[in-house]
Amino acid sequence: MSSGAMTGSATMQAMRRFGEMLDAVCPRHRKHKQPLSLEPDAPRALADFFEVVGFSEAVGAGGPQPQQWRPTREASQEWLRRTFEALFGEDAEARDTWGVERDDFSAAWKRLPAKFRILHLSGPFVTDESTPAEDPPLLELKLASGTLKPLPEHAVAHLIRATWSRVMSGRSAGVVNLRAEGEQVLEPVFPGMYRLAEGIWGLDSGPGAAANAQGKLRRLFFDDFERYIDFVLGQPDERLPHFFRPAGQLFMLQPNQRLDPEHVSEPGFRRFTSRSEGLVVQTWHQAVGRIEGMGVWIQRSQHLRSAGLIVAQRNLEPMGAWLQRNGLKLEAEPDIQPDIWSEPVT
């Protein structure tokens, strides 16, 4: 059955919706996307994903940097062939680990699925396409040990999570212990994304998360900084401690009483205290509000005297001028970090 046979399905509709969302938030993808044709017998959901969403440097597994890897089977086998040659050519220990000879790597290839592709070279992450699954299982190939570790999400779900996290990395915010609820906008292909409000989304911790993180949001995303400020300002008091600073333009303030988040008295600001989780648990004093119409987030660890003030990138100059007019000094000049994924493309 061709991928076109899925056109009316809920799965295809969800993929189309993701493609529309990605077009809306990422001008770079919208302008440069191209179809990526996979093999005739490629898993249906994977082929449909690249047909509907398209391929660009925004799309793919891996971290926040632009992607160049095209995940075809041919390219995957060629990359792994070169990797094996480099790995086994001079390293007797690696040959012993994998059970190969210097001039015969067949034992290494036999450890892999009969049909596979590499979704991302870091790992690398390998699909298992030897079964008829429409969305194939995903495995991490451990080159050092010669083992394959099953990953909790299948290929298409992983691509959606990684792609969205990449292009929205500069429009995201921290969150702790906030229950995952809202419209699951990409069901059934990816149930982990929740629409919390217009232009505000939450991503859950995924099926591989620790038990205490299951059913909780891992990261929040917004299409506009000011919209996110309004969203948080509209939360009831008891929910505020779940929210942490959004990405944006950071000013590190010298200690001062006026904009210290524990004591700020600017009109309309809301103050609250949050506790981060992880290996190091910290208490943070936070405040959110507006100064001359600009959305402002202020955050300070209880162990520090200096606070960070975050505004939208476009408010770098007006906020810098306001701070100067009001005699508020900075620890250092702000580090400008452009967001390539949200910038217009000419």
Side-chain angles (χ1 to χ4, degrees):
M1 185 181 296
S2 69
S3 62
M6 292 186 67
T7 300
S9 72
T11 297
M12 183 62 94
Q13 290 173 17
M15 289 190 193
R16 283 204 186 94
R17 190 175 304 119
F18 180 67
E20 292 165 358
M21 291 169 62
L22 194 58
D23 283 349
V25 300
C26 187
R28 199 180 183 106
H29 172 74
R30 186 170 64 245
K31 180 169 183 178
H32 297 301
K33 66 180 178 179
Q34 299 175 343
L36 177 64
S37 296
L38 301 184
E39 305 76 17
D41 63 341
R44 189 190 305 169
L46 201 57
D48 285 341
F49 174 84
F50 284 109
E51 179 182 326
V52 172
V53 176
F55 177 80
S56 74
E57 59 187 2
V59 177
Q65 298 305 314
Q67 304 298 299
Q68 303 296 332
W69 175 251
R70 290 176 175 264
T72 64
R73 284 187 192 147
E74 182 181 7
S76 300
Q77 291 171 351
E78 175 60 22
W79 182 88
L80 205 51
R81 182 189 63 78
R82 295 196 308 268
T83 299
F84 282 165
E85 287 178 352
L87 179 64
F88 302 142
E90 301 297 334
D91 192 336
E93 185 177 348
R95 291 196 297 271
D96 290 343
T97 298
W98 281 77
V100 302
E101 303 297 330
R102 183 187 290 271
D103 57 355
D104 180 6
F105 305 157
S106 57
W109 290 103
K110 288 177 181 177
R111 297 194 183 200
L112 298 168
K115 292 181 181 179
F116 72 89
R117 78 185 67 244
I118 296 174
L119 280 195
H120 193 260
L121 301 179
S122 177
F125 292 164
V126 177
T127 62
D128 180 358
E129 300 178 14
S130 59
T131 71
E134 292 186 356
D135 186 3
L138 195 58
L139 312 165
E140 182 179 3
L141 175 58
K142 302 280 191 177
L143 291 171
S145 62
T147 57
L148 289 164
K149 175 187 175 183
L151 296 177
E153 282 185 320
H154 283 212
V156 173
H158 185 83
L159 283 170
I160 291 174
R161 182 182 295 276
T163 298
W164 189 256
S165 297
R166 174 181 303 112
V167 302
M168 298 297 284
S169 56
R171 290 164 287 179
S172 65
V175 62
V176 169
N177 273 334
L178 187 62
R179 200 171 81 187
E181 55 187 7
E183 179 190 2
Q184 291 170 280
V185 291
L186 297 178
E187 278 197 312
V189 68
F190 181 66
M193 185 181 293
Y194 296 77
R195 181 184 179 275
L196 307 183
E198 182 67 28
I200 308 287
W201 303 271
L203 204 59
D204 74 4
S205 298
N212 63 354
Q214 291 288 343
K216 306 285 181 63
L217 293 179
R218 176 182 181 181
R219 194 81 182 161
L220 301 182
F221 302 91
F222 47 86
D223 62 359
D224 182 77
F225 185 95
E226 303 298 339
R227 195 197 296 271
Y228 181 71
I229 294 295
D230 285 339
F231 172 73
V232 175
L233 286 173
Q235 298 297 312
D237 290 344
E238 64 272 14
R239 283 172 65 91
L240 285 176
H242 295 292
F243 298 93
F244 279 81
R245 57 161 285 191
Q249 180 58 58
L250 173 66
F251 295 86
M252 285 305 301
L253 305 175
Q254 290 186 6
N256 72 88
Q257 191 81 356
R258 181 172 180 180
L259 290 184
D260 183 270
E262 192 176 9
H263 307 288
V264 62
S265 58
E266 294 290 321
F269 268 75
R270 298 184 69 183
R271 297 179 298 173
F272 54 101
T273 300
S274 303
R275 285 172 61 83
S276 61
E277 294 188 338
L279 295 177
V280 178
V281 177
Q282 292 192 65
T283 298
W284 295 87
H285 300 296
Q286 304 197 93
V288 59
R290 293 192 174 278
I291 293 176
E292 294 191 350
M294 295 178 284
V296 172
W297 193 289
I298 312 172
Q299 179 176 296
R300 175 177 62 79
S301 167
Q302 66 173 358
H303 301 300
L304 299 176
R305 297 181 60 223
S306 299
L309 181 148
I310 302 98
V311 296
Q313 187 74 38
R314 62 182 176 270
N315 287 331
L316 167 64
E317 291 188 9
M319 177 50 67
W322 185 90
L323 292 170
Q324 189 172 30
R325 286 198 310 272
N326 286 272
L328 297 165
K329 300 184 182 300
L330 303 179
E331 295 281 6
E333 287 299 310
D335 182 19
I336 302 172
Q337 297 181 335
D339 178 14
I340 64 169
W341 301 116
S342 63
E343 292 176 341
V345 177
T346 56

